[in-house]
Amino acid sequence: DIQLTQSPSFLSASVGDRVTITCRASQGISSYLAWYQQKPGKAPKLLIYAASTLQSGVPSRFSGSGSGTEFTLTISSLQPEDFATYYCQQLSSYPLTFGPGTKVDIK
Amino acid sequence: EVQLVESGGGLVQPGGSLRLSCAASGFTFSDHYMDWVRQAPGKGLEWVGRTRNKANSYTTEYAASVKGRFTISRDDSKNSLYLQMNSLKTEDTAVYYCARVGAAGRGFDPWGQGTLVTVSS
């Protein structure tokens, strides 16, 4: 199985900050990586797919990069509605797996 | 509006069975692969399994943790996805989400609102 790790696990930031979350895969997954945002009590929401393609309707302050085993999600200027938990997911091979999540909290 | 609505969750004893449903609307359900994902209380996301579409013979994939106990099926005439869960264990307690799979590795969008399954005596 492909294991995904995320760093940091927890991030405290202020509105307007630039935030970067890293996702590392235990083996190469090309660009088969997606990022999701989840708020408490809600279903996850797709932000980025194919490592760097912004899902329709997602603000342009979100961006993704990387390929192979290392990927990043960047929020260029953190907004109040962005405080949430972020998960990466590999879609390269079965079983599909998710990273453990990164919680972004208000400083 | 593209929408997925799960139902069928509840309290069940260990060893029991439960069937979850996911009603789809706003898109051509029969064209899409569909997945189930679960989230134990306070924990992260865990992929449960997939059903492919008719063009791919409705074949399925499962996580090792549920293989042999859970069965994913679909009824394209009813725009519905199902998860039959047998031999339930306490560790199956979670919110269960259905999700539409995008083409060519595009991720899951949208997701349903989730339905809570509690396995407890």
Side-chain angles (χ1 to χ4, degrees), chain B residues 108-121:
Chain B
F108 296 176
D109 179 73
W111 298 54
Q113 86 288 354
T115 188
L116 176 62
V117 173
T118 303
V119 184
S120 175
S121 55

Side-chain angles (χ1 to χ4, degrees), chain B residues 21-24 29 73-82:
Chain B
S21 299
C22 170
F29 178 75
S73 61
R74 61 193 295 164
D75 184 338
D76 290 349
S77 70
K78 296 182 178 179
N79 289 339
S80 292
L81 173 72
Y82 305 102

Side-chain angles (χ1 to χ4, degrees), chain B residues 6 11 15 22 24-25 29 32 35 37 49 54 58 61-62 68-69 71 73 76 90 97 102 107 115:
Chain B
E6 300 94 337
L11 175 63
C22 170
S25 59
F29 178 75
H32 289 266
D35 282 25
V37 177
K54 181 178 180 180
Y58 299 125
E61 304 285 347
Y62 296 95
R69 300 188 299 123
T71 301
S73 61
D76 290 349
T90 56
Y97 297 100
T115 188

Side-chain angles (χ1 to χ4, degrees), chain A residues 32 34 36 38 42-44 46 49-50 55 87 89 91 94-96 98, chain B residues 35 37 39 43-45 47 50 52 61 97 105-109 111-112:
Chain A
Y32 290 103
Y36 300 88
Q38 187 179 33
K42 300 294 186 182
L46 178 64
Y49 63 89
Q55 172 70 353
Y87 295 93
Q89 178 201 28
L91 299 108
Y94 299 104
L96 306 186
F98 292 89
Chain B
D35 282 25
V37 177
Q39 186 169 37
K43 302 297 184 182
L45 301 169
W47 178 76
R50 165 170 294 177
R52 296 181 179 87
E61 304 285 347
Y97 297 100
R106 290 193 173 194
F108 296 176
D109 179 73
W111 298 54

Side-chain angles (χ1 to χ4, degrees), chain B residues 4-118:
Chain B
L4 298 171
V5 178
E6 300 94 337
S7 60
L11 175 63
V12 61
Q13 292 188 338
S17 298
L18 206 59
R19 188 197 198 204
L20 305 183
S21 299
C22 170
S25 59
F27 65 100
T28 306
F29 178 75
S30 58
D31 285 349
H32 289 266
Y33 294 9
M34 296 292 297
D35 282 25
W36 288 97
V37 177
R38 68 184 180 183
Q39 186 169 37
K43 302 297 184 182
L45 301 169
E46 180 188 14
W47 178 76
V48 172
R50 165 170 294 177
T51 175
R52 296 181 179 87
N53 55 15
K54 181 178 180 180
N56 289 278
S57 304
Y58 299 125
T59 52
T60 53
E61 304 285 347
Y62 296 95
S65 58
V66 306
K67 194 169 186 179
R69 300 188 299 123
F70 290 12
T71 301
I72 298 173
S73 61
R74 61 193 295 164
D75 184 338
D76 290 349
S77 70
K78 296 182 178 179
N79 289 339
S80 292
L81 173 72
Y82 305 102
L83 179 64
Q84 177 67 44
M85 304 184 293
N86 298 331
S87 303
L88 282 161
K89 305 175 182 180
T90 56
E91 53 263 41
D92 295 319
T93 294
V95 173
Y96 284 74
Y97 297 100
C98 61
R100 183 181 70 171
V101 182
R106 290 193 173 194
F108 296 176
D109 179 73
W111 298 54
Q113 86 288 354
T115 188
L116 176 62
V117 173
T118 303

Side-chain angles (χ1 to χ4, degrees), chain A:
Chain A
D1 297 5
I2 296 175
Q3 311 300 321
L4 297 178
T5 58
Q6 288 182 234
S7 59
S9 301
F10 180 84
L11 187 160
S12 185
S14 301
V15 172
D17 283 354
R18 181 181 181 87
V19 166
T20 298
I21 299 168
T22 298
C23 177
R24 290 185 174 86
S26 59
Q27 62 190 79
I29 58 171
S30 184
S31 295
Y32 290 103
L33 189 101
W35 289 97
Y36 300 88
Q37 176 193 67
Q38 187 179 33
K39 296 180 180 179
K42 300 294 186 182
K45 173 188 173 183
L46 178 64
L47 300 175
I48 302 279
Y49 63 89
S52 60
T53 303
L54 194 67
Q55 172 70 353
S56 176
V58 173
S60 59
R61 63 181 179 273
F62 291 93
S63 64
S65 65
S67 67
T69 62
E70 188 154 336
F71 303 85
T72 59
L73 172 71
T74 299
I75 309 172
S76 60
S77 178
L78 200 65
Q79 298 301 300
E81 59 268 30
D82 300 337
F83 292 97
T85 300
Y86 294 83
Y87 295 93
C88 57
Q89 178 201 28
Q90 67 82 16
L91 299 108
S92 174
S93 65
Y94 299 104
L96 306 186
T97 49
F98 292 89
T102 294
K103 185 175 182 180
V104 178
D105 209 346
I106 302 172
K107 183 183 284 185

